[in-house]
mmCIF file of all heavy atoms in Angstrom:
data_model
loop_
_atom_site.group_PDB
_atom_site.id
_atom_site.type_symbol
_atom_site.label_atom_id
_atom_site.label_comp_id
_atom_site.label_asym_id
_atom_site.label_seq_id
_atom_site.Cartn_x
_atom_site.Cartn_y
_atom_site.Cartn_z
ATOM 1 N N SER A 1 -50.171 -57.197 46.208
ATOM 2 C CA SER A 1 -49.417 -56.406 47.165
ATOM 3 C C SER A 1 -47.930 -56.692 47.003
ATOM 4 O O SER A 1 -47.537 -57.811 46.665
ATOM 5 C CB SER A 1 -49.838 -56.734 48.600
ATOM 6 O OG SER A 1 -51.206 -56.469 48.815
ATOM 7 N N CYS A 2 -47.120 -55.690 47.266
ATOM 8 C CA CYS A 2 -45.673 -55.838 47.213
ATOM 9 C C CYS A 2 -45.061 -55.005 48.325
ATOM 10 O O CYS A 2 -45.177 -53.776 48.320
ATOM 11 C CB CYS A 2 -45.133 -55.398 45.851
ATOM 12 S SG CYS A 2 -43.333 -55.351 45.730
ATOM 13 N N ALA A 3 -44.425 -55.677 49.263
ATOM 14 C CA ALA A 3 -43.742 -55.010 50.362
ATOM 15 C C ALA A 3 -42.253 -54.937 50.064
ATOM 16 O O ALA A 3 -41.634 -55.952 49.728
ATOM 17 C CB ALA A 3 -43.990 -55.754 51.667
ATOM 18 N N ALA A 4 -41.684 -53.757 50.185
ATOM 19 C CA ALA A 4 -40.285 -53.524 49.858
ATOM 20 C C ALA A 4 -39.495 -53.084 51.079
ATOM 21 O O ALA A 4 -40.059 -52.635 52.078
ATOM 22 C CB ALA A 4 -40.158 -52.474 48.760
ATOM 23 N N SER A 5 -38.183 -53.205 50.990
ATOM 24 C CA SER A 5 -37.312 -52.673 52.023
ATOM 25 C C SER A 5 -37.508 -51.166 52.108
ATOM 26 O O SER A 5 -37.559 -50.469 51.092
ATOM 27 C CB SER A 5 -35.856 -52.988 51.719
ATOM 28 O OG SER A 5 -35.643 -54.387 51.658
ATOM 29 N N GLY A 6 -37.595 -50.659 53.321
ATOM 30 C CA GLY A 6 -37.874 -49.247 53.515
ATOM 31 C C GLY A 6 -36.829 -48.328 52.916
ATOM 32 O O GLY A 6 -37.153 -47.243 52.423
ATOM 33 N N SER A 7 -35.578 -48.738 52.940
ATOM 34 C CA SER A 7 -34.499 -47.894 52.448
ATOM 35 C C SER A 7 -34.644 -47.575 50.965
ATOM 36 O O SER A 7 -34.259 -46.498 50.520
ATOM 37 C CB SER A 7 -33.152 -48.553 52.720
ATOM 38 O OG SER A 7 -33.064 -49.811 52.089
ATOM 39 N N ILE A 8 -35.180 -48.505 50.193
ATOM 40 C CA ILE A 8 -35.354 -48.281 48.766
ATOM 41 C C ILE A 8 -36.755 -47.763 48.454
ATOM 42 O O ILE A 8 -36.937 -46.933 47.561
ATOM 43 C CB ILE A 8 -35.043 -49.562 47.955
ATOM 44 C CG1 ILE A 8 -34.931 -49.225 46.462
ATOM 45 C CG2 ILE A 8 -36.074 -50.649 48.187
ATOM 46 C CD1 ILE A 8 -33.787 -48.288 46.121
ATOM 47 N N PHE A 9 -37.752 -48.229 49.190
ATOM 48 C CA PHE A 9 -39.121 -47.807 48.943
ATOM 49 C C PHE A 9 -39.270 -46.295 49.093
ATOM 50 O O PHE A 9 -39.958 -45.644 48.305
ATOM 51 C CB PHE A 9 -40.079 -48.528 49.887
ATOM 52 C CG PHE A 9 -41.535 -48.291 49.586
ATOM 53 C CD1 PHE A 9 -42.223 -49.126 48.729
ATOM 54 C CD2 PHE A 9 -42.211 -47.232 50.170
ATOM 55 C CE1 PHE A 9 -43.560 -48.918 48.447
ATOM 56 C CE2 PHE A 9 -43.547 -47.002 49.900
ATOM 57 C CZ PHE A 9 -44.223 -47.850 49.031
ATOM 58 N N ARG A 10 -38.630 -45.742 50.093
ATOM 59 C CA ARG A 10 -38.772 -44.329 50.421
ATOM 60 C C ARG A 10 -38.366 -43.421 49.264
ATOM 61 O O ARG A 10 -38.907 -42.313 49.126
ATOM 62 C CB ARG A 10 -37.931 -44.020 51.656
ATOM 63 C CG ARG A 10 -38.003 -42.587 52.142
ATOM 64 C CD ARG A 10 -37.206 -42.415 53.432
ATOM 65 N NE ARG A 10 -35.802 -42.756 53.251
ATOM 66 C CZ ARG A 10 -34.872 -41.922 52.815
ATOM 67 N NH1 ARG A 10 -35.199 -40.667 52.495
ATOM 68 N NH2 ARG A 10 -33.616 -42.322 52.688
ATOM 69 N N VAL A 11 -37.424 -43.845 48.440
ATOM 70 C CA VAL A 11 -36.876 -42.991 47.389
ATOM 71 C C VAL A 11 -37.204 -43.480 45.982
ATOM 72 O O VAL A 11 -36.713 -42.902 45.009
ATOM 73 C CB VAL A 11 -35.348 -42.856 47.535
ATOM 74 C CG1 VAL A 11 -35.000 -42.228 48.882
ATOM 75 C CG2 VAL A 11 -34.667 -44.200 47.373
ATOM 76 N N SER A 12 -38.040 -44.499 45.857
ATOM 77 C CA SER A 12 -38.233 -45.148 44.566
ATOM 78 C C SER A 12 -39.621 -44.952 43.984
ATOM 79 O O SER A 12 -40.621 -44.909 44.704
ATOM 80 C CB SER A 12 -37.972 -46.651 44.681
ATOM 81 O OG SER A 12 -36.624 -46.919 44.996
ATOM 82 N N THR A 13 -39.645 -44.855 42.660
ATOM 83 C CA THR A 13 -40.882 -45.078 41.929
ATOM 84 C C THR A 13 -41.170 -46.576 41.942
ATOM 85 O O THR A 13 -40.279 -47.379 41.665
ATOM 86 C CB THR A 13 -40.759 -44.574 40.488
ATOM 87 O OG1 THR A 13 -40.625 -43.153 40.494
ATOM 88 C CG2 THR A 13 -41.989 -44.951 39.668
ATOM 89 N N MET A 14 -42.391 -46.935 42.274
ATOM 90 C CA MET A 14 -42.795 -48.334 42.311
ATOM 91 C C MET A 14 -43.665 -48.644 41.099
ATOM 92 O O MET A 14 -44.386 -47.785 40.595
ATOM 93 C CB MET A 14 -43.566 -48.641 43.583
ATOM 94 C CG MET A 14 -42.813 -48.338 44.870
ATOM 95 S SD MET A 14 -41.279 -49.307 45.048
ATOM 96 C CE MET A 14 -41.949 -50.978 45.100
ATOM 97 N N GLY A 15 -43.597 -49.889 40.656
ATOM 98 C CA GLY A 15 -44.376 -50.252 39.492
ATOM 99 C C GLY A 15 -44.741 -51.718 39.448
ATOM 100 O O GLY A 15 -44.190 -52.540 40.183
ATOM 101 N N TRP A 16 -45.690 -51.994 38.587
ATOM 102 C CA TRP A 16 -46.078 -53.361 38.277
ATOM 103 C C TRP A 16 -45.883 -53.607 36.790
ATOM 104 O O TRP A 16 -46.277 -52.777 35.956
ATOM 105 C CB TRP A 16 -47.539 -53.635 38.657
ATOM 106 C CG TRP A 16 -47.784 -53.664 40.127
ATOM 107 C CD1 TRP A 16 -48.209 -52.645 40.917
ATOM 108 C CD2 TRP A 16 -47.624 -54.796 40.989
ATOM 109 N NE1 TRP A 16 -48.320 -53.059 42.223
ATOM 110 C CE2 TRP A 16 -47.968 -54.374 42.295
ATOM 111 C CE3 TRP A 16 -47.228 -56.109 40.790
ATOM 112 C CZ2 TRP A 16 -47.923 -55.237 43.388
ATOM 113 C CZ3 TRP A 16 -47.181 -56.964 41.884
ATOM 114 C CH2 TRP A 16 -47.525 -56.523 43.160
ATOM 115 N N TYR A 17 -45.278 -54.732 36.467
ATOM 116 C CA TYR A 17 -45.072 -55.176 35.102
ATOM 117 C C TYR A 17 -45.647 -56.577 34.966
ATOM 118 O O TYR A 17 -45.842 -57.269 35.963
ATOM 119 C CB TYR A 17 -43.584 -55.184 34.746
ATOM 120 C CG TYR A 17 -42.947 -53.809 34.698
ATOM 121 C CD1 TYR A 17 -42.701 -53.095 35.865
ATOM 122 C CD2 TYR A 17 -42.592 -53.232 33.479
ATOM 123 C CE1 TYR A 17 -42.120 -51.843 35.825
ATOM 124 C CE2 TYR A 17 -42.003 -51.977 33.434
ATOM 125 C CZ TYR A 17 -41.770 -51.293 34.609
ATOM 126 O OH TYR A 17 -41.191 -50.051 34.565
ATOM 127 N N ARG A 18 -45.899 -56.989 33.745
ATOM 128 C CA ARG A 18 -46.407 -58.335 33.540
ATOM 129 C C ARG A 18 -45.831 -58.931 32.263
ATOM 130 O O ARG A 18 -45.458 -58.213 31.339
ATOM 131 C CB ARG A 18 -47.937 -58.359 33.483
ATOM 132 C CG ARG A 18 -48.543 -57.650 32.279
ATOM 133 C CD ARG A 18 -50.059 -57.577 32.414
ATOM 134 N NE ARG A 18 -50.684 -56.958 31.256
ATOM 135 C CZ ARG A 18 -51.972 -56.655 31.171
ATOM 136 N NH1 ARG A 18 -52.789 -56.909 32.202
ATOM 137 N NH2 ARG A 18 -52.462 -56.096 30.073
ATOM 138 N N GLN A 19 -45.768 -60.244 32.255
ATOM 139 C CA GLN A 19 -45.259 -60.960 31.098
ATOM 140 C C GLN A 19 -46.096 -62.217 30.880
ATOM 141 O O GLN A 19 -46.168 -63.078 31.750
ATOM 142 C CB GLN A 19 -43.790 -61.328 31.272
ATOM 143 C CG GLN A 19 -43.163 -61.930 30.028
ATOM 144 C CD GLN A 19 -41.654 -62.027 30.138
ATOM 145 O OE1 GLN A 19 -41.099 -62.101 31.225
ATOM 146 N NE2 GLN A 19 -40.982 -62.029 29.001
ATOM 147 N N ALA A 20 -46.716 -62.290 29.724
ATOM 148 C CA ALA A 20 -47.475 -63.464 29.325
ATOM 149 C C ALA A 20 -46.579 -64.374 28.498
ATOM 150 O O ALA A 20 -45.599 -63.918 27.899
ATOM 151 C CB ALA A 20 -48.702 -63.051 28.518
ATOM 152 N N PRO A 21 -46.891 -65.668 28.440
ATOM 153 C CA PRO A 21 -46.073 -66.592 27.652
ATOM 154 C C PRO A 21 -45.936 -66.139 26.204
ATOM 155 O O PRO A 21 -46.920 -65.790 25.557
ATOM 156 C CB PRO A 21 -46.841 -67.907 27.748
ATOM 157 C CG PRO A 21 -47.588 -67.811 29.032
ATOM 158 C CD PRO A 21 -47.979 -66.366 29.143
ATOM 159 N N GLY A 22 -44.707 -66.120 25.710
ATOM 160 C CA GLY A 22 -44.451 -65.738 24.336
ATOM 161 C C GLY A 22 -44.506 -64.255 24.061
ATOM 162 O O GLY A 22 -44.419 -63.849 22.895
ATOM 163 N N LYS A 23 -44.637 -63.428 25.089
ATOM 164 C CA LYS A 23 -44.736 -61.989 24.905
ATOM 165 C C LYS A 23 -43.659 -61.262 25.703
ATOM 166 O O LYS A 23 -43.062 -61.811 26.627
ATOM 167 C CB LYS A 23 -46.112 -61.480 25.320
ATOM 168 C CG LYS A 23 -47.264 -62.105 24.557
ATOM 169 C CD LYS A 23 -48.575 -61.406 24.852
ATOM 170 C CE LYS A 23 -48.586 -60.005 24.257
ATOM 171 N NZ LYS A 23 -49.902 -59.337 24.450
ATOM 172 N N GLN A 24 -43.418 -60.022 25.321
ATOM 173 C CA GLN A 24 -42.472 -59.176 26.033
ATOM 174 C C GLN A 24 -43.044 -58.746 27.383
ATOM 175 O O GLN A 24 -44.256 -58.627 27.551
ATOM 176 C CB GLN A 24 -42.146 -57.927 25.208
ATOM 177 C CG GLN A 24 -41.484 -58.186 23.871
ATOM 178 C CD GLN A 24 -40.028 -58.438 24.013
ATOM 179 O OE1 GLN A 24 -39.536 -59.511 23.674
ATOM 180 N NE2 GLN A 24 -39.290 -57.466 24.536
ATOM 181 N N ARG A 25 -42.148 -58.510 28.324
ATOM 182 C CA ARG A 25 -42.578 -57.917 29.579
ATOM 183 C C ARG A 25 -43.052 -56.490 29.309
ATOM 184 O O ARG A 25 -42.391 -55.733 28.597
ATOM 185 C CB ARG A 25 -41.444 -57.923 30.593
ATOM 186 C CG ARG A 25 -41.848 -57.397 31.956
ATOM 187 C CD ARG A 25 -40.713 -57.491 32.972
ATOM 188 N NE ARG A 25 -40.309 -58.872 33.207
ATOM 189 C CZ ARG A 25 -39.417 -59.236 34.132
ATOM 190 N NH1 ARG A 25 -38.856 -58.319 34.909
ATOM 191 N NH2 ARG A 25 -39.097 -60.509 34.272
ATOM 192 N N GLU A 26 -44.187 -56.127 29.876
ATOM 193 C CA GLU A 26 -44.754 -54.815 29.636
ATOM 194 C C GLU A 26 -45.104 -54.111 30.936
ATOM 195 O O GLU A 26 -45.433 -54.737 31.943
ATOM 196 C CB GLU A 26 -46.008 -54.914 28.755
ATOM 197 C CG GLU A 26 -47.160 -55.669 29.396
ATOM 198 C CD GLU A 26 -48.412 -55.682 28.541
ATOM 199 O OE1 GLU A 26 -48.440 -55.010 27.491
ATOM 200 O OE2 GLU A 26 -49.382 -56.374 28.927
ATOM 201 N N LEU A 27 -45.036 -52.795 30.879
ATOM 202 C CA LEU A 27 -45.414 -51.974 32.018
ATOM 203 C C LEU A 27 -46.922 -51.992 32.191
ATOM 204 O O LEU A 27 -47.666 -51.861 31.217
ATOM 205 C CB LEU A 27 -44.916 -50.539 31.822
ATOM 206 C CG LEU A 27 -45.165 -49.545 32.957
ATOM 207 C CD1 LEU A 27 -44.039 -48.521 33.004
ATOM 208 C CD2 LEU A 27 -46.496 -48.835 32.780
ATOM 209 N N VAL A 28 -47.367 -52.155 33.421
ATOM 210 C CA VAL A 28 -48.783 -52.093 33.754
ATOM 211 C C VAL A 28 -49.123 -50.751 34.387
ATOM 212 O O VAL A 28 -50.040 -50.055 33.949
ATOM 213 C CB VAL A 28 -49.195 -53.234 34.693
ATOM 214 C CG1 VAL A 28 -50.663 -53.106 35.095
ATOM 215 C CG2 VAL A 28 -48.934 -54.584 34.037
ATOM 216 N N ALA A 29 -48.384 -50.373 35.427
ATOM 217 C CA ALA A 29 -48.644 -49.128 36.132
ATOM 218 C C ALA A 29 -47.443 -48.754 36.974
ATOM 219 O O ALA A 29 -46.698 -49.624 37.422
ATOM 220 C CB ALA A 29 -49.889 -49.243 37.020
ATOM 221 N N THR A 30 -47.261 -47.456 37.198
ATOM 222 C CA THR A 30 -46.224 -46.969 38.096
ATOM 223 C C THR A 30 -46.795 -45.881 38.989
ATOM 224 O O THR A 30 -47.797 -45.250 38.662
ATOM 225 C CB THR A 30 -45.007 -46.399 37.347
ATOM 226 O OG1 THR A 30 -45.404 -45.289 36.532
ATOM 227 C CG2 THR A 30 -44.356 -47.464 36.478
ATOM 228 N N ILE A 31 -46.130 -45.666 40.104
ATOM 229 C CA ILE A 31 -46.504 -44.591 41.014
ATOM 230 C C ILE A 31 -45.241 -44.038 41.652
ATOM 231 O O ILE A 31 -44.399 -44.785 42.146
ATOM 232 C CB ILE A 31 -47.522 -45.080 42.073
ATOM 233 C CG1 ILE A 31 -47.965 -43.922 42.977
ATOM 234 C CG2 ILE A 31 -46.966 -46.249 42.879
ATOM 235 C CD1 ILE A 31 -49.174 -44.273 43.843
ATOM 236 N N THR A 32 -45.101 -42.714 41.635
ATOM 237 C CA THR A 32 -43.918 -42.079 42.187
ATOM 238 C C THR A 32 -44.031 -41.954 43.696
ATOM 239 O O THR A 32 -45.048 -42.292 44.301
ATOM 240 C CB THR A 32 -43.699 -40.685 41.584
ATOM 241 O OG1 THR A 32 -44.710 -39.784 42.070
ATOM 242 C CG2 THR A 32 -43.754 -40.720 40.065
ATOM 243 N N THR A 33 -42.968 -41.435 44.299
ATOM 244 C CA THR A 33 -42.950 -41.262 45.743
ATOM 245 C C THR A 33 -44.006 -40.283 46.233
ATOM 246 O O THR A 33 -44.396 -40.342 47.399
ATOM 247 C CB THR A 33 -41.574 -40.786 46.218
ATOM 248 O OG1 THR A 33 -41.223 -39.581 45.534
ATOM 249 C CG2 THR A 33 -40.515 -41.853 45.958
ATOM 250 N N ILE A 34 -44.457 -39.390 45.356
ATOM 251 C CA ILE A 34 -45.475 -38.425 45.743
ATOM 252 C C ILE A 34 -46.842 -38.741 45.153
ATOM 253 O O ILE A 34 -47.749 -37.906 45.196
ATOM 254 C CB ILE A 34 -45.066 -36.984 45.385
ATOM 255 C CG1 ILE A 34 -44.847 -36.831 43.885
ATOM 256 C CG2 ILE A 34 -43.822 -36.580 46.167
ATOM 257 C CD1 ILE A 34 -44.670 -35.382 43.456
ATOM 258 N N GLY A 35 -47.000 -39.927 44.590
ATOM 259 C CA GLY A 35 -48.311 -40.375 44.182
ATOM 260 C C GLY A 35 -48.726 -40.086 42.755
ATOM 261 O O GLY A 35 -49.918 -40.221 42.429
ATOM 262 N N VAL A 36 -47.791 -39.697 41.895
ATOM 263 C CA VAL A 36 -48.111 -39.508 40.489
ATOM 264 C C VAL A 36 -48.177 -40.868 39.807
ATOM 265 O O VAL A 36 -47.237 -41.658 39.895
ATOM 266 C CB VAL A 36 -47.084 -38.612 39.791
ATOM 267 C CG1 VAL A 36 -47.413 -38.462 38.308
ATOM 268 C CG2 VAL A 36 -47.041 -37.245 40.457
ATOM 269 N N ARG A 37 -49.281 -41.143 39.115
ATOM 270 C CA ARG A 37 -49.536 -42.461 38.547
ATOM 271 C C ARG A 37 -49.457 -42.469 37.033
ATOM 272 O O ARG A 37 -49.777 -41.489 36.365
ATOM 273 C CB ARG A 37 -50.919 -42.949 38.975
ATOM 274 C CG ARG A 37 -51.073 -43.144 40.474
ATOM 275 C CD ARG A 37 -52.532 -43.367 40.838
ATOM 276 N NE ARG A 37 -52.709 -43.697 42.247
ATOM 277 C CZ ARG A 37 -52.801 -42.804 43.223
ATOM 278 N NH1 ARG A 37 -52.715 -41.501 42.949
ATOM 279 N NH2 ARG A 37 -52.970 -43.200 44.473
ATOM 280 N N ASN A 38 -49.049 -43.602 36.506
ATOM 281 C CA ASN A 38 -49.008 -43.832 35.073
ATOM 282 C C ASN A 38 -49.515 -45.236 34.805
ATOM 283 O O ASN A 38 -49.147 -46.173 35.518
ATOM 284 C CB ASN A 38 -47.591 -43.661 34.535
ATOM 285 C CG ASN A 38 -47.523 -43.787 33.030
ATOM 286 O OD1 ASN A 38 -48.328 -43.211 32.313
ATOM 287 N ND2 ASN A 38 -46.544 -44.548 32.543
ATOM 288 N N TYR A 39 -50.366 -45.380 33.766
ATOM 289 C CA TYR A 39 -50.966 -46.671 33.447
ATOM 290 C C TYR A 39 -50.785 -47.015 31.990
ATOM 291 O O TYR A 39 -50.784 -46.136 31.121
ATOM 292 C CB TYR A 39 -52.474 -46.664 33.737
ATOM 293 C CG TYR A 39 -52.854 -46.493 35.174
ATOM 294 C CD1 TYR A 39 -53.182 -45.246 35.689
ATOM 295 C CD2 TYR A 39 -52.914 -47.595 36.028
ATOM 296 C CE1 TYR A 39 -53.551 -45.094 37.014
ATOM 297 C CE2 TYR A 39 -53.280 -47.448 37.353
ATOM 298 C CZ TYR A 39 -53.598 -46.191 37.841
ATOM 299 O OH TYR A 39 -53.969 -46.050 39.162
ATOM 300 N N ALA A 40 -50.658 -48.307 31.728
ATOM 301 C CA ALA A 40 -50.762 -48.774 30.359
ATOM 302 C C ALA A 40 -52.188 -48.546 29.868
ATOM 303 O O ALA A 40 -53.150 -48.657 30.634
ATOM 304 C CB ALA A 40 -50.415 -50.258 30.272
ATOM 305 N N GLN A 41 -52.319 -48.228 28.594
ATOM 306 C CA GLN A 41 -53.636 -47.967 28.028
ATOM 307 C C GLN A 41 -54.581 -49.148 28.218
ATOM 308 O O GLN A 41 -55.782 -48.962 28.442
ATOM 309 C CB GLN A 41 -53.516 -47.626 26.543
ATOM 310 C CG GLN A 41 -54.827 -47.205 25.892
ATOM 311 C CD GLN A 41 -55.372 -45.911 26.459
ATOM 312 O OE1 GLN A 41 -54.625 -44.990 26.768
ATOM 313 N NE2 GLN A 41 -56.695 -45.838 26.608
ATOM 314 N N SER A 42 -54.051 -50.348 28.161
ATOM 315 C CA SER A 42 -54.878 -51.542 28.236
ATOM 316 C C SER A 42 -55.539 -51.758 29.595
ATOM 317 O O SER A 42 -56.494 -52.534 29.699
ATOM 318 C CB SER A 42 -54.046 -52.779 27.878
ATOM 319 O OG SER A 42 -52.966 -52.936 28.776
#
């Protein structure tokens, strides 16, 4: 779970990223303000 300030949450695409040791930070998933989702293939 991630709770954000309302002023930014209301207008922002939200996402989750992850970084394993020795690896680049990678996108996991995003969701727009209207619920459009995008996922990493993995």
Side-chain angles (χ1 to χ4, degrees):
S1 300
C2 173
S5 299
S7 60
I8 192 64
F9 188 90
R10 181 176 60 86
V11 299
S12 295
T13 294
M14 302 299 297
W16 290 95
Y17 293 72
R18 67 187 182 187
Q19 187 169 26
K23 301 189 69 176
Q24 298 280 118
R25 184 177 298 186
E26 64 177 354
L27 183 148
V28 177
T30 61
I31 183 168
T32 70
T33 56
I34 60 170
V36 178
R37 297 169 174 85
N38 184 46
Y39 295 96
Q41 186 65 38
S42 60

